[in-house]
Amino acid sequence: PPSKWPQRPMLLRPTPDAGMTILGIRYSSSESATGYLPLPGTGFCLGCTLPVNNGREARGKCLVVDFESELFIGTVMLRIKNLRGAFENGNESETNGGTGTAGGSDDVTSATEKKSSTTTKKEDNKGNYFHKRKRTFQAIVRGHFKRPNTPMSECITGQIFNKPAGKLPPRIVVKGAISVISHLAPQLQARLDGECPRFLSPLVSTAQSVIARREAT
């Protein structure tokens, strides 16, 4: 149930029956295979629940997921702004309201608290990836194709649903909406009707940056 999700209200999981194998979860500073984290008791598991970072992790402590599919093997690291930390226990600290006393000491205490709060906020933002960035989400994928010389023109990303969309607006409305979306994103393949609705785009066109290197021989 959602109340048991470790990063509620969000849950990330591999797509079932998609040929995806999760090899392990580790810190970004750890070597693959030898540095996988033990998951019992964390709420995460390789086949059902995967962690997402929130941008406040210490250097080298971002959680990454090693995975393998029929065509690709690699590592993914995800960040979502303001998300609950992956290993937080979920217990929110309680703040009890105090009763002030008369006298000038209250003003001194209030000023000290404000200064401390400002300092703490600056310290928190110092290690926050999303500080002064408008983005709220980041995904980094690194790895290689298992099939040599795979052309990037054949690589797409998006969503394919295995169930119909249900009751849709009149066809003319749906067609008009798709036309507007296609005008804003000409390479988007969008289809709402049929047994498997889909939204697909060329992989390269959706990435902010792509780095390609030849494997050492």
Side-chain angles (χ1 to χ4, degrees):
S3 60
K4 299 294 184 181
W5 295 353
Q7 292 185 284
R8 56 186 180 277
M10 193 216 71
L11 175 71
L12 174 70
R13 63 172 302 187
T15 302
D17 304 320
M20 175 76 68
T21 300
I22 304 300
L23 304 177
I25 299 170
R26 57 184 173 85
Y27 290 121
S28 57
S29 58
S30 301
E31 295 294 332
S32 58
T34 60
Y36 290 144
L37 298 172
L39 298 179
T42 65
F44 298 102
C45 61
L46 298 185
C48 60
T49 309
L50 302 176
V52 179
N53 303 282
N54 60 16
R56 295 181 177 274
E57 294 77 19
R59 183 182 294 273
K61 292 298 183 181
C62 285
L63 293 169
V64 300
V65 179
D66 293 333
F67 68 94
E68 183 174 3
S69 68
E70 296 178 3
L71 299 175
F72 193 87
I73 181 170
T75 302
V76 60
M77 190 278 291
L78 302 174
R79 288 187 175 116
I80 296 180
K81 186 177 181 179
N82 295 331
L83 186 67
R84 179 195 299 268
F87 293 140
E88 288 183 11
N89 57 19
N91 297 325
E92 297 182 358
S93 59
E94 298 181 357
T95 303
N96 298 322
T99 303
T101 57
S105 60
D106 286 349
D107 296 334
V108 176
T109 301
S110 177
T112 303
E113 289 176 348
K114 288 181 180 179
K115 183 177 180 180
S116 176
S117 176
T118 302
T119 303
T120 301
K121 187 175 181 179
K122 289 182 178 179
E123 291 175 351
D124 289 343
N125 289 333
K126 185 178 180 180
N128 185 357
Y129 169 81
F130 291 106
H131 181 53
K132 293 186 178 181
R133 286 187 169 102
K134 293 183 178 180
R135 68 188 66 168
T136 59
F137 173 78
Q138 183 192 35
I140 299 176
V141 180
R142 181 179 65 183
H144 65 272
F145 291 98
K146 297 164 68 174
R147 187 179 68 187
N149 302 319
T150 299
M152 290 302 296
S153 59
E154 296 181 3
C155 299
I156 58 176
T157 184
Q159 295 81 35
I160 300 178
F161 302 95
N162 56 10
K163 294 182 180 180
K167 187 176 181 180
L168 295 172
R171 182 178 294 273
I172 188 172
V173 175
V174 175
K175 186 176 180 180
I178 296 298
S179 177
V180 172
I181 295 174
S182 298
H183 179 73
L184 298 175
Q187 295 178 310
L188 175 67
Q189 303 175 27
R191 180 177 178 181
L192 292 176
D193 57 352
E195 294 297 319
C196 297
R198 61 187 61 194
F199 296 90
L200 301 174
S201 297
L203 178 60
V204 173
S205 69
T206 63
Q208 185 178 24
S209 60
V210 177
I211 300 175
R213 293 190 180 98
R214 293 185 180 276
E215 285 191 315
T217 57

